[in-house]
Amino acid sequence: MWGTYLENLIESLPFFLKGLWVTVQVSALSLIISTLGGFLLGIIRSTRIRTVNIALAAYVDVIRGTPFLVQIFIVFFILPEWGIQLEAFTSAVLSLSIYGTAYICEIVYGGVVSIPKGQTEAAISGGLTWPQQMRYVIVPQALRPILPPLVGQYVLLIKDTAVVSVIGLTDVTRVGWFTVQRIPEGILVFGLVGLLYFFICYPLVWLSNRLETRLTTEKSTL
Amino acid sequence: MISFRKVNKWFGPLHVLRDIDLEIDKSEVAVICGPSGSGKSTLIRCINRLESIRSGELYVDGIPVHDKKTNLINLRAEVGFVFQQFNLYPHMTVLDNVTLAPVKVRKMSSAQARKIGGELLEKVGIHEKADSYPAQLSGGQQQRVAIARGLAMQPKIMLFDEPTSALDPEMINEVLEVMIQLAKDGMTMIVVTHEMGFAREVGHKVIFMDEGQIVETAPPDEFFDHCKRERTRLFLSKILTH
Amino acid sequence: MPLFLRGLGNTAWICLIALIGALLLGIISCVMRLSGRRPISFPATAYIEMIRSTPLLAQLYFFYFGLPGLGLSLSETQTGIMALSLNSGAYIAEIIRAGIMSIPKGQLEAATASGLSLYQRLRYIILPQAIGVTIPALLGQMIVLVKDSALLALISVFELTRAGQLMASERFMPAEGFFTTAAFYLLIYFVLKLLSQQWQKRLIFQQDRG
């Protein structure tokens, strides 16, 4: 019996690979948008202007305080009530981007704020404007504390794409869900699903660990 | 060139600068000393608006620093600042540290900035380290780069905030020598320091500050040998014993 | 409204049980991983890395659809708690490991040099310091656990998110449903966050006195 199941599974492989491609697309798109948005908001947040700070802190807290599942439900089910009709793929990328931007904003903010004040003062004394200070002095240095947690966050976001399967988007998880209705061997089917995610995520996890050790020891050898 | 008129500043409830009146002329070298917390660092940080003043007037080369509408970029292009902690940009080479401001602020061409930068590095004696990174340099070398960086904008005034306080003793002299040469070349300098040898050699006036006020101002000889105020005498006795 | 309170209650005790399970798993696998011997550390490391590289939803489905095939018949809730425990357990193992490794090596050397046994080193030097650093991160993982529990709605477990879903599908009030759900989660989030901040203040206070 297992033999037939395995055969059926291998037959379904093309579907899984298609689903994997969808996962990759959704991940890549939302990661790019989240990174751009997160950097922008993180840098803006570092200006410590009160109203901006409160607004951004509220946004981040709401996103980090609620499950992503609930957020995606809100985007998918409630936006139509307000007249905005989006298809599954767009909804997925939208909610993932809103979600990811909040987390990356915090990471970038933390990195920028960790740069010693003296650097900003030296840049100011040289006559640089705030955008120039950020671009040439602060942000290049902030990349070091930002990079390891950023890559770690990428892994988390890629895994969260699995949740978009609930609004019908045919990603790897959804293909698994369909397949298991035909091939009731949950362990085989989702073992495969897990394996596919593992292939995408583990290299990034490894990279994040490597970055962490390399960027924290480089400081001492310099 | 620099003119403080009844300048006052508070940090919250703390009155850190009290009715400061001070005039510094072109090519004058002024040394400010005093106990920690006396406001001396705050005073020079007001000159390039790293700190802002609450009341009074402050003119630097004719520019009203206290005016909110003043173009700060223009002001800071004319005032170089050397920090106690050097504050060199660690992610750039020494030469890049020196050329960043001229290229981005004065819109100089990169080639021209590098030429001027090279000359300045030679002047402070570390031309050979132009392509090294700050972390590879000793404290004394880093501070000299910081001085070159301050000079790169070809400012009219150079400010020094305890430039040698963070250095190991054997490196203090190499930095002081650069500063002395700078003074002899006619730069207008305000230096917060405890290095009284420097004051005696090239200083035109020594200013003693305590608790936010200027207690006494005098030319070096008069200051060290015949100071008028008791507080000054007390302070001098403490720092000159070593 | 009573619907939500019941859902909230379920979420609460599900998370509590899952947390206890996760803590146990986390401590055991962390100790296993730190052991020098390959046969013991490898399974632990494999477990942790597999969990961290795969989505919780996939793990949940794995157990939900897979266990019946093995002849194990668990209720949805039990399956859910199991998946949550296994998932958080791996992350907690990493948190504890980071806490232990954050102790400066010099202290361990001093302790060994003064003749303390492994048990004594653990008890008097390592654990007290590791705990201080670890608690905020553990509270953070608790918050993650609560949010992760939302996924259990997808295997029909009646908890907070499912309450919201039911409001949307059965009573046709999606906005009220999901926003209320979100509000409740935010409540839990802020309470836990406050606890974490209080603990960190307490820690600083203690360190100053000690």
Side-chain angles (χ1 to χ4, degrees), chain A residues 29-31 33-34 59 68 91-102:
Chain A
L29 216 56
S30 46
L31 281 181
I33 299 177
S34 298
Y59 160 60
F68 179 56
S91 293
V93 173
L94 180 65
S95 33
L96 276 169
S97 299
I98 296 176
Y99 186 69
T101 303

Short mmCIF file of all heavy atoms in Angstrom, two decimals, chain A residues 29-31 33-34 59 68 91-102:
data_model
loop_
_atom_site.label_atom_id
_atom_site.label_comp_id
_atom_site.label_asym_id
_atom_site.label_seq_id
_atom_site.Cartn_x
_atom_site.Cartn_y
_atom_site.Cartn_z
N LEU A 29 8.52 38.45 -3.82
CA LEU A 29 7.84 39.74 -3.98
C LEU A 29 7.63 40.44 -2.65
O LEU A 29 7.97 41.61 -2.47
CB LEU A 29 6.50 39.50 -4.67
CG LEU A 29 6.06 40.57 -5.66
CD1 LEU A 29 7.13 40.76 -6.71
CD2 LEU A 29 4.76 40.17 -6.33
N SER A 30 7.07 39.70 -1.69
CA SER A 30 6.79 40.36 -0.41
C SER A 30 8.06 40.68 0.35
O SER A 30 8.13 41.67 1.07
CB SER A 30 5.84 39.52 0.46
OG SER A 30 6.25 38.20 0.47
N LEU A 31 9.12 39.88 0.17
CA LEU A 31 10.38 40.20 0.83
C LEU A 31 10.97 41.50 0.28
O LEU A 31 11.47 42.33 1.03
CB LEU A 31 11.39 39.06 0.67
CG LEU A 31 11.19 37.87 1.59
CD1 LEU A 31 12.24 36.82 1.35
CD2 LEU A 31 11.23 38.30 3.04
N ILE A 33 9.36 44.01 -1.21
CA ILE A 33 8.54 45.14 -0.77
C ILE A 33 8.77 45.41 0.72
O ILE A 33 8.94 46.56 1.14
CB ILE A 33 7.05 44.87 -1.03
CG1 ILE A 33 6.81 44.68 -2.52
CG2 ILE A 33 6.21 46.02 -0.51
CD1 ILE A 33 5.38 44.34 -2.87
N SER A 34 8.79 44.36 1.52
CA SER A 34 8.98 44.53 2.96
C SER A 34 10.32 45.15 3.27
O SER A 34 10.44 45.99 4.16
CB SER A 34 8.89 43.19 3.69
OG SER A 34 7.64 42.61 3.53
N TYR A 59 1.70 51.06 14.71
CA TYR A 59 1.62 50.14 13.57
C TYR A 59 2.36 48.85 13.87
O TYR A 59 1.83 47.74 13.72
CB TYR A 59 2.19 50.85 12.34
CG TYR A 59 2.63 49.97 11.19
CD1 TYR A 59 1.74 49.13 10.54
CD2 TYR A 59 3.95 50.00 10.73
CE1 TYR A 59 2.15 48.33 9.48
CE2 TYR A 59 4.36 49.22 9.67
CZ TYR A 59 3.46 48.39 9.05
OH TYR A 59 3.88 47.60 8.00
N PHE A 68 -0.71 36.41 12.15
CA PHE A 68 -0.73 36.70 10.73
C PHE A 68 -2.00 36.15 10.09
O PHE A 68 -2.57 36.77 9.19
CB PHE A 68 0.51 36.12 10.05
CG PHE A 68 0.53 36.36 8.58
CD1 PHE A 68 0.45 37.64 8.08
CD2 PHE A 68 0.61 35.30 7.69
CE1 PHE A 68 0.45 37.87 6.72
CE2 PHE A 68 0.62 35.53 6.32
CZ PHE A 68 0.54 36.82 5.83
N SER A 91 -3.73 39.66 -2.54
CA SER A 91 -4.01 39.73 -1.11
C SER A 91 -2.85 39.18 -0.31
O SER A 91 -2.44 39.74 0.70
CB SER A 91 -5.26 38.91 -0.76
OG SER A 91 -6.39 39.47 -1.31
N ALA A 92 -2.35 38.05 -0.80
CA ALA A 92 -1.26 37.39 -0.08
C ALA A 92 -0.05 38.31 0.00
O ALA A 92 0.51 38.55 1.07
CB ALA A 92 -0.89 36.08 -0.77
N VAL A 93 0.36 38.83 -1.16
CA VAL A 93 1.54 39.69 -1.17
C VAL A 93 1.30 40.94 -0.33
O VAL A 93 2.17 41.38 0.41
CB VAL A 93 1.93 40.07 -2.62
CG1 VAL A 93 3.04 41.08 -2.62
CG2 VAL A 93 2.35 38.84 -3.40
N LEU A 94 0.09 41.48 -0.42
CA LEU A 94 -0.22 42.69 0.35
C LEU A 94 -0.09 42.44 1.85
O LEU A 94 0.62 43.16 2.56
CB LEU A 94 -1.64 43.17 0.02
CG LEU A 94 -2.10 44.43 0.77
CD1 LEU A 94 -1.25 45.61 0.34
CD2 LEU A 94 -3.56 44.71 0.52
N SER A 95 -0.78 41.40 2.34
CA SER A 95 -0.74 41.18 3.79
C SER A 95 0.65 40.76 4.26
O SER A 95 1.10 41.18 5.31
CB SER A 95 -1.79 40.17 4.26
OG SER A 95 -2.00 39.20 3.30
N LEU A 96 1.34 39.97 3.45
CA LEU A 96 2.71 39.60 3.82
C LEU A 96 3.61 40.82 3.87
O LEU A 96 4.47 40.96 4.75
CB LEU A 96 3.29 38.59 2.83
CG LEU A 96 2.94 37.13 3.08
CD1 LEU A 96 3.34 36.28 1.90
CD2 LEU A 96 3.64 36.63 4.33
N SER A 97 3.41 41.75 2.93
CA SER A 97 4.24 42.94 2.90
C SER A 97 3.97 43.84 4.10
O SER A 97 4.90 44.35 4.72
CB SER A 97 4.00 43.73 1.61
OG SER A 97 4.33 42.94 0.51
N ILE A 98 2.69 44.02 4.43
CA ILE A 98 2.37 44.84 5.61
C ILE A 98 3.00 44.21 6.85
O ILE A 98 3.57 44.88 7.70
CB ILE A 98 0.84 44.95 5.79
CG1 ILE A 98 0.23 45.69 4.61
CG2 ILE A 98 0.50 45.65 7.08
CD1 ILE A 98 -1.28 45.77 4.67
N TYR A 99 2.89 42.90 6.94
CA TYR A 99 3.43 42.16 8.06
C TYR A 99 4.95 42.27 8.12
O TYR A 99 5.53 42.63 9.15
CB TYR A 99 3.00 40.69 7.89
CG TYR A 99 3.34 39.77 9.02
CD1 TYR A 99 2.70 39.88 10.24
CD2 TYR A 99 4.28 38.75 8.85
CE1 TYR A 99 2.99 39.00 11.28
CE2 TYR A 99 4.57 37.88 9.88
CZ TYR A 99 3.92 38.00 11.08
OH TYR A 99 4.20 37.13 12.09
N GLY A 100 5.59 41.99 6.99
CA GLY A 100 7.05 42.00 6.95
C GLY A 100 7.64 43.38 7.18
O GLY A 100 8.67 43.52 7.86
N THR A 101 7.01 44.41 6.62
CA THR A 101 7.54 45.75 6.77
C THR A 101 7.65 46.13 8.25
O THR A 101 8.63 46.74 8.67
CB THR A 101 6.64 46.78 6.04
OG1 THR A 101 6.55 46.40 4.67
CG2 THR A 101 7.22 48.16 6.14
N ALA A 102 6.63 45.76 9.03
CA ALA A 102 6.65 46.11 10.45
C ALA A 102 7.86 45.50 11.14
O ALA A 102 8.58 46.16 11.90
CB ALA A 102 5.37 45.62 11.12
#
